[in-house]
Amino acid sequence: MIRFIHTADLHLDSPFKGLKQLHPKLYNQVYQSTFKSFERLVTIAIEEAVDFIVISGDIYDGDNQSVKAQAFFREQMQRLDTASILVYLSHGNHDFMDSGISRLKLPDNVKVFGHEPETYYHDTVAITGFSYPKRWVTERMIEKYPKRAKTDFHIGLLHGFLEGSGATEDVYAPFTMGDLLAKQYDYWALGHIHKRQILNQQPPIVYSGNTQGRNPNELGEKGAFLVTLQKGLDPTLTFINTAPIWWIEKTISLVGIQTLDALYSKISEEIIKAQKPEQTILLSLILDDREELSDDALERIHNGDLIAGISQSEAVYLYRITLAPKTERLVFSADDRMQQSFNRSKDHLSAVETYRDVLTDLFKHPTVRTRFADFEQDTELREKILQEAEELLLEDIVFEEGETTRED
């Protein structure tokens, strides 16, 4: 029997782009969360006396691999070394092993995979993986992995993209399920995709996800898997929550809510409900069924006045309030030609190329290009921008039509 922890995508020293508007004390908690999360994981590994840990890429967030992050990681490796726990790690696209990067020396219990797939042996366990020599590894590295060794167990580490999965992450070291199953390994420890997924039960093919959500798209608990492999028995996978901060998104109904006072009370109740023991919650509320809500209350949502007046706490921080889209809303119900024109304009602007053309000056701005280079490729951000732009336009059109009707 062997017991090990599978983790990936630590992203130590993540800059948490776009969150500088948070209260300084809270922002510091957020910034430190990737470190706290991994420290928790190491503590659990020691308490559970696991045989080893496998880390499937992206230990660090940036290719510069800051001294602060390296020093912290080395301290955690030394804790594991003291507990006689070995670590097998691969570098991914964020922390690729460029020869020009200066690195702190890690203790001897850490085994780092090279640029080509290679195999380490831990007693009667074979562990195969590779590290990215550069950021863009687009070749099918899985083809270079050996078939299962004649040992009790064989574990594969792969930081890459499952073809046909529909994931929004970039395509690095692509593979198929058939590729993995053909190797006949006992466990595949995957990295790169930040959503926790068990793709196959027997043998387990697993994305552990990242250890700490870094933006509103990475919701809920994050962590790693404690894995037990035993001859003649099914594998056991136990999820371990390590994230000190959770991003939570919740849709609430405003049926019966008309006034600003009632809306404020409703939101305050939801903040209390969102509290969780020993967790900091970053909360986003989506308001649905708001037909009865007054125009003034709607305006205070749009201009940010409402969220600015919400009483915040360290346990739950409400960082966003948005309105749910209204389905099949006809703005020009009495004018088919205007409605068709509106729909065509919406479809045109929803196209990826049009979206990029419209925002080309923003994406090429030096600050955005340097600090937010991923924004142009962020599919969920594009959908959110288009949705909110449509909502603002719809609200303005309806408001103006209402004013015209009242004047008449």
Side-chain angles (χ1 to χ4, degrees), residues 324-392:
K326 293 186 176 180
T327 57
E328 300 298 325
R329 185 172 182 182
L330 297 179
V331 187
F332 305 102
S333 55
D335 191 329
D336 287 342
R337 292 180 62 186
M338 284 293 290
Q339 185 62 48
Q340 291 172 10
S341 176
F342 182 87
N343 292 342
R344 284 196 300 271
S345 297
K346 175 186 172 183
D347 292 341
H348 176 67
L349 289 171
S350 297
V352 174
E353 292 305 320
T354 307
Y355 167 80
R356 290 177 180 170
D357 287 344
V358 170
L359 296 180
T360 185
D361 290 339
L362 172 64
F363 291 138
K364 289 182 178 179
H365 189 280
T367 300
V368 175
R369 191 171 64 249
T370 302
R371 298 179 58 195
F372 308 103
D374 297 336
F375 276 14
E376 187 174 3
Q377 308 297 329
D378 192 326
T379 304
E380 294 188 20
L381 175 64
R382 175 168 62 88
E383 292 174 353
K384 182 67 70 175
I385 289 174
L386 292 169
Q387 173 188 314
E388 293 188 1
E390 180 183 4
E391 271 306 308
L392 287 172

Side-chain angles (χ1 to χ4, degrees), residues 210-351:
N210 52 345
T211 53
Q212 168 61 57
R214 301 182 305 144
N215 59 60
N217 298 325
E218 298 179 350
L219 298 170
E221 58 183 4
K222 296 286 185 175
F225 280 103
L226 173 61
V227 183
T228 302
L229 299 181
Q230 191 169 358
K231 283 288 187 179
L233 297 177
D234 290 338
T236 301
L237 281 69
T238 303
F239 176 72
I240 304 168
N241 169 52
T242 62
I245 294 175
W246 291 2
W247 298 84
I248 300 292
E249 182 177 88
K250 186 175 182 181
T251 300
I252 60 174
S253 173
L254 298 186
V255 171
I257 303 295
Q258 300 177 356
T259 66
L260 177 64
D261 181 67
L263 176 61
Y264 189 95
S265 297
K266 177 70 173 177
I267 290 175
S268 298
E269 290 173 8
E270 293 300 328
I271 290 175
I272 293 172
K273 290 180 184 177
Q275 293 181 8
K276 295 184 182 297
E278 300 182 6
Q279 295 288 157
T280 296
I281 303 298
L282 296 180
L283 179 65
S284 170
L285 290 179
I286 301 173
L287 309 182
D288 203 0
D289 306 317
R290 79 273 189 175
E291 285 76 15
E292 301 175 61
L293 200 60
S294 69
D295 290 341
D296 177 64
L298 283 171
E299 178 60 24
R300 290 177 185 274
I301 295 170
H302 285 313
N303 64 23
D305 185 39
L306 175 61
I307 195 168
I310 295 293
S311 179
Q312 304 281 15
S313 71
E314 291 186 18
V316 179
Y317 185 91
L318 180 64
Y319 70 93
R320 184 170 65 193
I321 301 174
T322 56
L323 299 174
K326 293 186 176 180
T327 57
E328 300 298 325
R329 185 172 182 182
L330 297 179
V331 187
F332 305 102
S333 55
D335 191 329
D336 287 342
R337 292 180 62 186
M338 284 293 290
Q339 185 62 48
Q340 291 172 10
S341 176
F342 182 87
N343 292 342
R344 284 196 300 271
S345 297
K346 175 186 172 183
D347 292 341
H348 176 67
L349 289 171
S350 297

Side-chain angles (χ1 to χ4, degrees), residues 80-138:
L80 293 169
D81 191 21
T82 301
S84 299
I85 297 174
L86 270 66
V87 179
Y88 299 91
L89 70 83
S90 63
H91 289 273
N93 57 291
H94 275 267
D95 61 348
F96 57 93
M97 295 180 66
D98 186 289
S99 59
I101 297 174
S102 300
R103 294 184 181 85
L104 299 181
K105 188 177 185 302
L106 295 173
D108 292 338
N109 66 318
V110 181
K111 311 301 179 184
V112 181
F113 292 100
H115 297 167
E116 297 289 328
E118 60 180 325
T119 301
Y120 286 105
Y121 286 87
H122 184 102
D123 297 328
T124 59
V125 181
I127 306 170
T128 302
F130 83 98
S131 290
Y132 282 47
K134 56 185 179 180
R135 179 181 297 279
W136 298 100
V137 175
T138 56

